[in-house]
């Protein structure tokens, strides 16, 4: 029976929330394999000069632990 681990990460993008989520998966994938799902826990934006300057997400990433 596989074990599933969950880690929480924060990622951002100057483009969109979708891009911030993609950045989270891309960065986590550098060190974690077998990613099953990403739960977006929270969204936020940074504002500069009365405009949105960046988008941020807090994600819970689930992955299967290798049994080897």
């Amino acid at each position: 029976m596989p074990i599933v681990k969950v880690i929480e990460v924060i990622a951002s993008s100057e483009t969109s929330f979708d891009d911030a989520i993609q950045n989270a998966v891309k960065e986590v994938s550098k060190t974690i394999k077998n990613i099953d799902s990403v739960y977006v826990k929270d969204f936020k934006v940074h504002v500069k000069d009365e405009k949105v300057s960046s988008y941020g997400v807090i994600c819970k990433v689930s992955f299967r632990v290798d049994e080897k």
Side-chain angles (χ1 to χ4, degrees), residues 30-45:
K30 290 179 180 178
T31 56
I32 303 284
K33 303 301 173 206
N34 303 322
I35 295 173
D36 283 330
S37 65
V38 176
Y39 165 71
V40 180
K41 181 178 168 184
D42 206 0
F43 294 91
K44 70 175 184 173
V45 295

Side-chain angles (χ1 to χ4, degrees), residues 3-57:
I3 301 285
V4 176
K5 256 186 154 175
V6 179
I7 60 170
E8 190 167 279
V9 298
I10 299 170
S12 63
S13 167
E14 294 180 357
T15 309
S16 67
F17 287 118
D18 183 57
D19 196 45
I21 296 166
Q22 294 290 342
N23 288 342
V25 172
K26 181 180 176 183
E27 287 301 311
V28 170
S29 294
K30 290 179 180 178
T31 56
I32 303 284
K33 303 301 173 206
N34 303 322
I35 295 173
D36 283 330
S37 65
V38 176
Y39 165 71
V40 180
K41 181 178 168 184
D42 206 0
F43 294 91
K44 70 175 184 173
V45 295
H46 289 104
V47 177
K48 185 176 180 182
D49 298 325
E50 300 178 8
K51 295 181 181 177
V52 173
S53 60
S54 66
Y55 302 82
V57 291

